[in-house]
Amino acid sequence: MRHAHTVDQVRDAEAALMATLPPGSLMQRAAFGLASAVIDLLGGSYGRRVLLLVGPGDNGGDALYAGALLARRGAVVEAWPMAEQCHPGGLAALRAAGGRPVDDCAHPPDVVVDGIVGIGGRPGLRPAAADAWLRATAHGAPVVAVDVPSGVDVDSGRLEGPHVVADLTVTFGTHKVAHLVDPAAAACGAVHLVDLGLEMPPAGIESLQPGDVAALLPRPRPDAHKYARGVVGVRAGSPTYPGAAVLCVAGAGAGLAGMVRYDGPVADAVRAAHPEVIAGPGQVQAWVVGSGAADHAAQLLAESLADQVPVVVDADALDHLPDRFPSPAVLTPHAGELARMLGVPRRLVEAEQLAHARAAAERFGAVVLLKGRHSLTAEPGGRVRVTTTGTPWLATAGAGDVLAGLIGALMASGLEPFEAASVGSWLHGAAATLASAGGPLTAGPVAEAVGAVVRHLPTAG
């Protein structure tokens, strides 16, 4: 599991560790990890031109000490201070190693190291720092951020005002919220974690890794039969959108549950595409309702809630939510749908995704999966999982229908809503990446690739 901690949690852990170490040891560890990452990015250090943008805090010190290490490895290192004072020990180390301070970007660098503001900085860069960053990157050099890109809101993932956009972020001790939660996560580029040996408390935000998915995924027992593995019901589609029902059933029938039952208005289209599906009313362990349901959505949701089994509520059914759910529920909105659910502008949801996903989970007493580049699964109480699998090609019609079906199958097979939504989202993104192979895809192959993703998971246990 990848964990993301808040600024206060990180500071407390760093203070506890520094109390046991000689002064400056933690910064030296961070600087070594940073310098090593820069060398890896450049493919070497000798003769490479490195420009450090240095603020007054410890992130500037990390950058300066890393610059000293790079200078001793043959790099041409220049430090551009963003304040009247910068870390005195780091600056002395840089000068002793042959680096030098500058007051502009006179030569195009091979890499720019952003050490302007650390995790305690406020969102947005001051005008002088924003101008320096633009001048330093004008020739297209890659940017390495120290801990976080300067100017992002570390604990919320918000972006407010000018900020650094990094190709690589080298962070220390643990991931921070901004590394996982958009829109800030999109400014981080690739994230490399340097282990400092911090003892961290439990994190409220986490991200599943393949081993976690393997451990959570329900697998059939040797004596399993189709009913024991769970029956997932689908109430989706309409004469206007029959394909939504077909794709939702494809996700539900990707092999994660024992049987799929379809009870909706386009049974002929579903049977034609999926002859193994049972059509008509009957008992299920979970319902998936709403995908492409159009004018049928309210009725289908009411029927599903009356059964008092876990339910996945998608698409059109999200416009007909009860104040509270009588049984466990997963809601799967995109940003526009979540905005309607909460009565706020879409731009606010997109700007503060974490806050709004958590607010919706509390408001409806249900698990909320806010779909996006990094989808957020939030449950009442504040715990959140971030999905980092996927590909931009997954932004295609019908992909959400497949996802809803996958989550329903996982709930029918025994997973609790939070686990089902986060595991389903992870599998959906991984299957899309596999099916895409770097190119365009449509929704159907995403469902077809789920089996191959599961086969390639590490052995659980």
Side-chain angles (χ1 to χ4, degrees):
M1 194 82 70
R2 182 175 295 165
H3 298 96
H5 290 87
T6 65
V7 171
D8 286 345
Q9 289 175 319
V10 173
R11 284 175 167 167
D12 289 346
E14 288 179 343
L17 181 57
M18 284 191 290
T20 69
L21 297 173
S25 297
L26 205 59
M27 184 170 285
Q28 293 296 335
R29 290 183 188 180
F32 180 80
L34 175 60
S36 298
V38 171
I39 291 170
D40 287 344
L41 177 67
L42 293 175
S45 56
Y46 188 80
R48 305 304 175 92
R49 187 173 290 277
V50 179
L51 177 62
L52 314 175
L53 301 182
V54 180
D58 286 348
N59 269 44
D62 295 335
L64 288 165
Y65 279 116
L69 292 170
L70 292 167
R72 289 200 290 268
R73 294 284 298 270
V76 178
V77 183
E78 296 178 328
W80 187 356
M82 299 291 107
E84 291 185 4
Q85 299 291 329
C86 56
H87 195 281
L91 185 58
L94 178 67
R95 281 180 162 142
R100 66 187 185 99
V102 296
D103 58 6
D104 203 342
C105 180
H107 306 283
D110 294 308
V111 66
V112 176
V113 177
D114 160 35
I116 303 171
V117 183
I119 60 174
R122 295 180 179 179
L125 290 174
R126 293 180 179 179
D131 180 67
W133 179 69
L134 291 174
R135 291 168 64 85
T137 57
H139 296 280
V143 176
V144 177
V146 181
D147 220 357
V148 291
S150 294
V152 307
D153 191 292
V154 179
D155 278 350
S156 73
R158 288 188 303 114
L159 296 177
E160 185 177 314
H163 59 276
V164 169
V165 177
D167 298 280
L168 171 67
T169 295
V170 181
T171 193
F172 311 114
T174 182
H175 289 86
K176 286 75 179 177
V177 176
H179 297 139
L180 297 181
V181 174
D182 277 338
C188 293
V191 179
H192 173 68
L193 177 65
V194 176
D195 184 13
L196 298 181
L198 301 181
E199 293 290 335
M200 300 302 304
I205 296 177
E206 55 196 21
S207 177
L208 294 175
Q209 303 303 297
D212 305 312
V213 175
L216 291 168
L217 192 70
R219 296 179 183 271
R221 295 168 54 89
D223 59 350
H225 53 80
K226 61 186 178 185
Y227 297 110
R229 293 188 58 210
V231 180
V232 55
V234 175
R235 286 176 168 145
S238 62
T240 306
Y241 304 110
V246 171
L247 289 168
C248 189
V249 167
L256 302 178
M259 193 174 86
V260 180
R261 179 182 298 280
Y262 178 76
D263 184 19
V266 289
D268 289 344
V270 169
R271 277 192 295 247
H274 303 288
E276 73 279 9
V277 170
I278 304 300
Q283 188 174 11
V284 301
Q285 279 69 59
W287 282 110
V288 184
V289 57
S291 304
D295 295 339
H296 300 269
Q299 177 187 346
L300 295 178
L301 178 59
E303 292 172 354
S304 300
L305 295 178
D307 287 342
Q308 294 192 346
V309 297
V311 60
V312 180
V313 185
D314 185 45
D316 298 316
L318 293 168
D319 291 328
H320 305 282
L321 299 177
D323 288 336
R324 304 296 286 185
F325 282 87
S327 55
V330 174
L331 317 182
T332 59
H334 55 58
E337 291 164 337
L338 187 60
R340 291 200 302 273
M341 289 162 56
L342 294 175
V344 300
R346 177 173 184 151
R347 60 178 175 78
L348 291 184
V349 173
E350 292 174 335
E352 300 186 58
Q353 298 176 27
L354 178 62
H356 286 92
R358 282 174 162 164
E362 295 296 335
R363 164 71 177 81
F364 295 101
V367 170
V368 173
L369 173 61
L370 173 56
K371 296 180 288 193
R373 189 189 78 100
H374 279 189
S375 295
L376 304 180
T377 301
E379 68 174 355
R383 186 164 64 132
V384 173
R385 280 188 183 150
V386 185
T387 301
T388 57
T389 58
T391 168
W393 294 111
L394 185 53
T396 186
D401 306 331
V402 172
L403 173 60
L406 280 174
I407 296 170
L410 288 165
M411 283 208 295
S413 64
L415 285 188
E416 295 297 319
F418 184 72
E419 308 289 6
S422 55
V423 170
S425 180
W426 191 97
L427 289 172
H428 185 247
T433 301
L434 181 63
S436 166
L441 82 162
T442 54
V446 177
E448 295 168 6
V450 170
V453 170
V454 172
R455 284 194 296 275
H456 289 93
L457 288 173
T459 302

